[in-house]
Amino acid sequence: MTPHSLAFYMDVVASGTVLGANPTDSPDRVTAMLGSDFAENSLDDHSMWRDYGMAEFFWIRETPDHPWEGHHFTLQVHRLSYWGGSIVNRAIRDRYGRFDRHLRFDKLERLLGKRGVPLEDAPDVNAPTFTRHWQPASQVSVMVFRAHEEWRQRRRGDDRIGDVYTIQSSVSAEGVARDRERYGRQDGRELSGRSSSEP
């Protein structure tokens, strides 16, 4: 992992933005920050998302007459394991440089801690295959891959135990509290019986 791409992930987790684009920004504002190279998708008249490669931004609206309201963004970090750095938006690569195929959670967490940006363990419905870690100030969550399903054969591009799978914003304190009530307080590093540093 190059220091530059690590700096990108750290900036996203610390700020809750991608190159300054907030999860609540309008489609035009996000495109002004990330560029016009995206795929636009919609399931109905009330939701829409734009896929900028690794980064995806999502919007909702009450009716087709209402403006789009930003809902959240997700960094699909797991796509790097198959596609490599070419999947990363050019605006991000121009600013941060080369991206490796894997982002190790233990390294990201350690560097964030040195910057004074701690992550809390937060329970998730996808445990123990995935664990979730949350940054309260920026309302960013980090999903980490913890276990392969026994039935699935490993193949090129598969994630490794301890890899970051996605990074998402905004994840509210209320949402995390609901999940803690629903799933309990789980120490994510113990769920799979494996450490985050396992290859």
Side-chain angles (χ1 to χ4, degrees):
M1 180 67 62
T2 67
H4 302 291
S5 59
L6 270 170
F8 167 70
Y9 297 121
M10 291 169 64
D11 288 347
V12 171
V13 174
S15 70
T17 69
V18 177
L19 294 185
N22 288 286
T24 55
D25 281 341
S26 69
D28 288 346
R29 166 89 174 139
V30 173
T31 297
M33 307 296 284
L34 296 183
S36 58
D37 185 13
F38 59 81
E40 188 169 291
N41 307 277
S42 182
L43 299 176
D44 53 40
D45 290 336
H46 304 283
S47 64
M48 182 258 290
W49 74 97
R50 288 181 177 174
D51 182 342
Y52 292 88
M54 179 174 63
E56 294 181 335
F57 277 76
F58 297 77
W59 294 270
I60 57 173
R61 62 184 177 186
E62 288 185 36
T63 71
D65 297 327
H66 284 79
W68 291 110
E69 297 178 12
H71 188 265
H72 71 279
F73 69 72
T74 301
L75 297 183
Q76 304 286 0
V77 182
H78 62 96
R79 291 179 180 170
L80 288 164
S81 67
Y82 188 81
W83 297 104
S86 63
I87 196 70
V88 179
N89 172 275
R90 178 166 294 282
I92 296 172
R93 280 186 285 136
D94 286 349
R95 173 118 172 238
Y96 289 94
R98 187 179 70 82
F99 280 70
D100 192 41
R101 290 181 181 272
H102 299 275
L103 171 59
R104 304 300 291 166
F105 175 71
D106 55 350
K107 181 182 282 189
L108 177 66
E109 183 182 39
R110 184 174 63 251
L111 292 172
L112 285 168
K114 288 181 179 179
R115 190 188 275 194
V117 183
L119 294 171
E120 299 179 4
D121 288 334
D124 188 79
V125 67
N126 298 299
T129 303
F130 296 92
T131 58
R132 186 170 60 149
H133 312 273
W134 181 63
Q135 212 299 307
S138 64
Q139 297 191 334
V140 169
S141 73
V142 179
M143 189 79 73
V144 181
F145 185 68
R146 295 295 181 185
H148 290 281
E149 294 90 348
E150 292 181 11
W151 55 266
R152 199 178 84 186
Q153 291 183 343
R154 300 276 318 260
R155 60 183 184 274
R156 178 184 177 273
D158 271 357
D159 296 302
R160 300 181 305 195
I161 304 299
D163 278 355
V164 172
Y165 195 76
T166 61
I167 298 174
Q168 186 178 73
S169 179
S170 295
V171 178
S172 69
E174 293 79 14
V176 171
R178 278 193 306 271
D179 287 343
R180 284 181 174 149
E181 186 174 312
R182 185 178 301 143
Y183 307 116
R185 284 187 169 271
Q186 301 171 351
D187 180 355
R189 281 156 263 253
E190 300 301 323
L191 287 172
S192 67
R194 302 169 185 255
S195 73
S196 62
S197 60
E198 182 176 335

